[in-house]
């Protein structure tokens, strides 16, 4: 039967001509289209597997860093693969040099849209969706979702890819110190990772550094001892003394030595109340140092008032309950600093809330000597090293120690911060000692 015969049959049929046949044909084609669509979806579900990574998950930042690595000079082979993408986003990274200067550099990563890449021989699709109407309050960025799709037979590659991204992120942070601050009731990283400072670089009075570090390490080694006796596994320290004595610097160096991160709490932050403070302390992860600076200014008379007259919603009772209440996290160390320990309420510094109280005072003669010898351990670059330089430096250190001792007897003290600033301004140890009288002017 040819096309002419079919035309004749349908054309001569009065029902078909009236539209019933056309309607039936349309319905049949629609059913065929829907059937094909359902069949495609069913086949897709059986053949494909997808992994969704929301921006609120920690692995999201790891995966973005992993994508950025693929475009770096260290991955030239992968770079050519990503370079063919037509939708790109810029990722800006800040690098702090040892001398304190900051450098910014940029990498291009897959932007919002659909992209393809090959991982361990398997083709994968990356779909990056961005919701511009919703913003993450912790970062100020729009909420995003990355969806990775591949064949079902390659689903085992997802954990491997995430582990690779995690290891890369941890490698970049190795040897660095992370400082977290709170935004509302969430913790977020404050600034780029910092180079860990050797604990020996913070010059305290004889035995002070060793005493604190020994106490912390002894505490960390007794987790099972605390558990068997039902004692909360946490410890509190107060370092007190005049400004510029090295309290915060020592805490940062100690955190780097222990491999801990610092979680900084600002009790003067607007919007911080008792409930949010309790939530923050309960969410602080294990192996962390909670740092609360200038606690004397916060609760001098059990009321916290900022310079512009704003009175904090954090109450004194709420603060001490957050420190050792039932919701307090375990395996964490709290360090508080103060310039005036005599102003603190006895309820705050009682045992159980504060276990160690240590004075970090102005420079002693021995501290001044040690800081000078450490600061000028080698001559400036370009100078010829004198074989007797170490002997000369030791003699200059003794001379500076004698000056500091004489001035202290007369009631004149100098802070470690002032000494360090003095050494920075004078390129040689001899010049620094000759002009030491400036420190006491």
């Amino acid at each position: 039967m040819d096309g002419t015969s079919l035309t004749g049959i349908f054309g001569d049929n009065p029902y078909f001509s009236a539209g019933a046949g056309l309607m039936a044909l349309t319905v049949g084609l629609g059913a065929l289209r829907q059937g094909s669509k359902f069949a495609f979806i069913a086949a897709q579900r059986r053949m494909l597997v997808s992994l969704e990574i929301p921006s609120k998950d920690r692995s999201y930042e790891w995966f973005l860093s992993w994508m950025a690595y693929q475009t770096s000079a260290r991955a030239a082979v992968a770079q050519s693969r990503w370079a063919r993408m037509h939708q790109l986003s810029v990722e800006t990274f800040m690098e702090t040099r040892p001398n304190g200067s900051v450098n910014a550099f940029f990498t291009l990563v897959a932007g919002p849209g659909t992209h393809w890449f090959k991982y361990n021989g398997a083709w994968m699709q990356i779909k990056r969706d961005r919701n511009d109407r919703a913003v993450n309050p912790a970062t100020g960025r729009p909420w995003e979702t990355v969806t990775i799709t591949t064949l079902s037979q390659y689903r085992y590659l997802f954990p491997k890819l995430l582990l690779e991204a995690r290891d890369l992120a941890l490698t970049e942070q190795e040897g660095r110190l992370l400082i977290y601050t709170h935004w509302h009731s969430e913790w977020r990283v404050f600034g780029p990772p910092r180079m860990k400072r050797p604990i020996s670089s913070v010059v305290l009075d004889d035995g002070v550094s060793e005493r604190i570090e020994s106490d912390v390490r002894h505490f960390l080694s007794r987790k099972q001892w605390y558990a068997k006796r039902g004692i909360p596994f946490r410890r509190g320290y107060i370092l007190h003394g005049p400004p510029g004595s090295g309290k915060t610097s020592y805490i940062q160096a100690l955190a780097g030595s222990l491999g801990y991160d610092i979680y900084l709490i600002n009790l003067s932050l607007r919007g911080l109340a008792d409930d949010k403070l309790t939530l923050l302390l309960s969410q602080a992860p294990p192996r962390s140092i909670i740092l609360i600076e200038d606690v004397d200014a916060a609760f001098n008379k059990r009321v916290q008032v900022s310079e512009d007259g704003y009175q904090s919603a954090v109450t004194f009772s709420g603060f001490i309950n957050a420190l050792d209440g039932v919701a307090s996290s375990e395996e964490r160390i709290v360090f508080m600093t103060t310039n005036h320990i005599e102003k603190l309420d006895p309820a705050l510094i009682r045992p159980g809330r504060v276990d160690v109280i240590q004075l970090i005072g102005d420079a002693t003669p021995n501290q001044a000597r040690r800081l000078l010898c450490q600061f000028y351990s080698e001559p400036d670059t370009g100078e010829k090293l004198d074989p007797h330089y170490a002997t000369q430096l030791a003699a200059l250190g003794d001379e500076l120690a004698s000056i500091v001792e004489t001035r202290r007897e007369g009631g004149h003290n100098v802070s470690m911060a002032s000494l360090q600033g003095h050494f920075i301004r004078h390129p040689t140890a001899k010049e620094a000692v000759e002009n030491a009288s400036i420190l006491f002017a």
Side-chain angles (χ1 to χ4, degrees), residues 251-284:
I251 295 170
Q252 292 184 10
L254 178 63
S257 175
L258 297 173
Y260 279 31
D261 292 327
I262 292 179
Y263 288 75
L264 182 62
I265 291 182
N266 180 8
L267 296 174
S268 301
L269 187 67
R270 293 178 184 271
L272 184 64
D274 291 348
D275 55 345
K276 291 183 179 179
L277 178 62
T278 302
L279 181 61
L280 284 170
L281 287 177
S282 66
Q283 291 180 339

